[in-house]
């Protein structure tokens, strides 16, 4: 496969996954911000959403007040936000169109249709109801794309590169969500309450569709250290860091088998996976969750550079 084709598919996967995460983030933030403070509501939830999405500086450059009325359009349809839902789908569509023959008709039509639907929401104002409608529409479209790709694409390089981009983006998003919330995690000998209210942490789990999984695995009330354990180490949780890297290593193995060679991307991904397997939540808290996540994000960025060096240039 040509490196340009591989790059287009890789970034199609990343941008679609990013659009899905921003949808989840907007929905969860709206829920959290609407709760009374006594039930875990957070008056800074929308600025936290900007930090989680990694676009706080870009929003500050607009000069707008950090209110829901301004932040919601910025995250969903904002032209000045490179990670807005609209911009992510536009870039995903552009990359997919460049390699149209590598995708099945069903996969292309689901993505192309989503982008055209999002265009209906552009305008000077985006009400809360319209934002909710947009988020729900895009979430359904992303599921349709994933389902189409899974059910109709050949298991060859095109599919592996598409999934590799999605898995790397998914790991990055989960890590960033945890990093923004790390300051809320209390030592185990402290009581949970106040800002650690059940509703707040349940909302965080909903961001990554993990609330049901949490209840099934731990059969306990929502506790911050268990949330961190689920989202970092539980390989049964599709959005956990360990699960994402298990998938990444498997995808790189498929690509290596196809080309008959291994390279720096395999080494970096394997090292990250081994590091996760050799660590537990107690060690993470002993050394600091923020420091752990910071190292992980650095490793994930190095993997991105290694993938580009090995396959995309």
């Amino acid at each position: 496969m040509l490196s340009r084709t591989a790059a287009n598919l890789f970034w199609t996967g990343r941008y679609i996954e990013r659009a899905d995460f921003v949808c989840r983030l907007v929905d969860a933030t709206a829920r959290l911000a609407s709760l009374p403070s006594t039930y875990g509501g957070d008056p800074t939830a929308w600025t936290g959403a900007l930090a989680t999405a990694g676009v706080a500086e870009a929003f500050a450059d607009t000069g707008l007040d950090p209110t829901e009325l301004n932040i919601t359009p910025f995250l969903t349809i904002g032209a000045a936000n490179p990670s807005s839902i609209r911009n992510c789908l536009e870039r995903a569509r552009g990359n997919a169109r460049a390699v149209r023959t590598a995708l099945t008709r069903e996969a292309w039509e689901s993505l192309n249709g989503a982008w055209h639907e999002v265009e209906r929401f552009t305008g000077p104002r985006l009400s809360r109801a319209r934002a909710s409608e947009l988020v729900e529409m895009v979430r359904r479209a992303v599921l349709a794309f994933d389902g189409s790709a899974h059910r109709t694409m050949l298991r060859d390089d095109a599919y592996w590169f598409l999934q590799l981009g999605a898995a790397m983006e998914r790991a990055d998003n989960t890590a960033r969500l945890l990093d923004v919330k790390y300051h809320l995690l209390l030592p185990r000998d402290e009581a949970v309450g106040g800002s650690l209210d059940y509703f707040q942490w349940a909302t965080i789990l909903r961001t990554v569709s993990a609330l049901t999984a949490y209840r099934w695995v731990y059969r306990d009330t929502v506790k911050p250290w268990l949330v961190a354990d689920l989202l970092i180490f539980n390989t049964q949780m599709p959005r956990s860091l360990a699960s994402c890297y298990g998938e990444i290593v498997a995808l790189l193995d498929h690509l290596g088998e196809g080309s008959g060679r291994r390279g720096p991307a395999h080494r970096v991904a394997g090292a990250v996976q081994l590091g996760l397997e050799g660590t537990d939540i107690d060690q993470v808290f002993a050394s600091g969750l923020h420091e752990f996540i910071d190292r992980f994000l650095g490793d994930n960025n190095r993997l991105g550079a290694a993938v580009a060096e090995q396959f995309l240039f």
Side-chain angles (χ1 to χ4, degrees), residues 148-217:
S148 298
H150 178 74
R151 287 176 175 269
T152 65
M153 287 184 67
L154 289 173
R155 293 326 191 242
D156 59 6
D157 286 0
Y159 184 78
W160 306 137
F161 277 116
L162 188 69
Q163 297 302 313
L164 179 63
M168 288 179 58
E169 183 67 27
R170 194 176 305 127
D172 184 87
N173 291 335
T174 299
R176 290 183 184 280
L177 178 66
L178 276 172
D179 193 41
V180 170
K181 300 300 182 183
Y182 84 96
H183 62 282
L184 296 176
L185 297 170
L186 291 176
R188 295 191 180 211
D189 57 351
E190 293 193 30
V192 175
S195 64
L196 292 177
D197 184 86
Y198 167 85
F199 294 102
Q200 186 177 54
W201 284 102
T203 301
I204 292 168
L205 287 169
R206 285 194 185 98
T207 306
V208 289
S209 296
L211 183 57
T212 299
Y214 179 94
R215 289 168 173 162
W216 183 262
V217 171

Side-chain angles (χ1 to χ4, degrees), residues 82-101:
S83 293
S84 70
I85 294 169
R86 181 185 181 278
N87 279 342
C88 285
L89 288 179
E90 183 174 30
R91 290 187 171 115
R93 177 176 178 266
N95 279 287
R97 185 169 55 184
V99 289
R100 174 66 186 82
T101 56

Side-chain angles (χ1 to χ4, degrees), residues 217-239:
V217 171
Y218 299 105
R219 303 186 183 277
D220 199 349
T221 57
V222 177
K223 296 174 180 176
W225 52 87
L226 296 182
V227 173
D229 182 64
L230 179 72
L231 297 183
I232 295 173
F233 295 114
N234 194 302
T235 56
Q236 294 179 301
M237 176 61 210
R239 292 181 179 272

Side-chain angles (χ1 to χ4, degrees), residues 11 42 52 67 70 75 79 84 123 132 145 149 190 193 202 204 216 224 239 243 260 269 278 282 284:
W11 283 104
D42 185 355
T52 302
T67 63
N70 292 326
L75 289 174
S84 70
S132 179
F145 177 86
E190 293 193 30
I204 292 168
W216 183 262
R239 292 181 179 272
S243 179
D282 291 314
V284 168

Side-chain angles (χ1 to χ4, degrees), residues 271-287:
V272 175
Q273 185 184 39
L274 285 173
L276 289 168
E277 290 174 351
T279 311
D280 60 28
I281 197 64
D282 291 314
Q283 292 172 290
V284 168
F285 273 85
S287 62

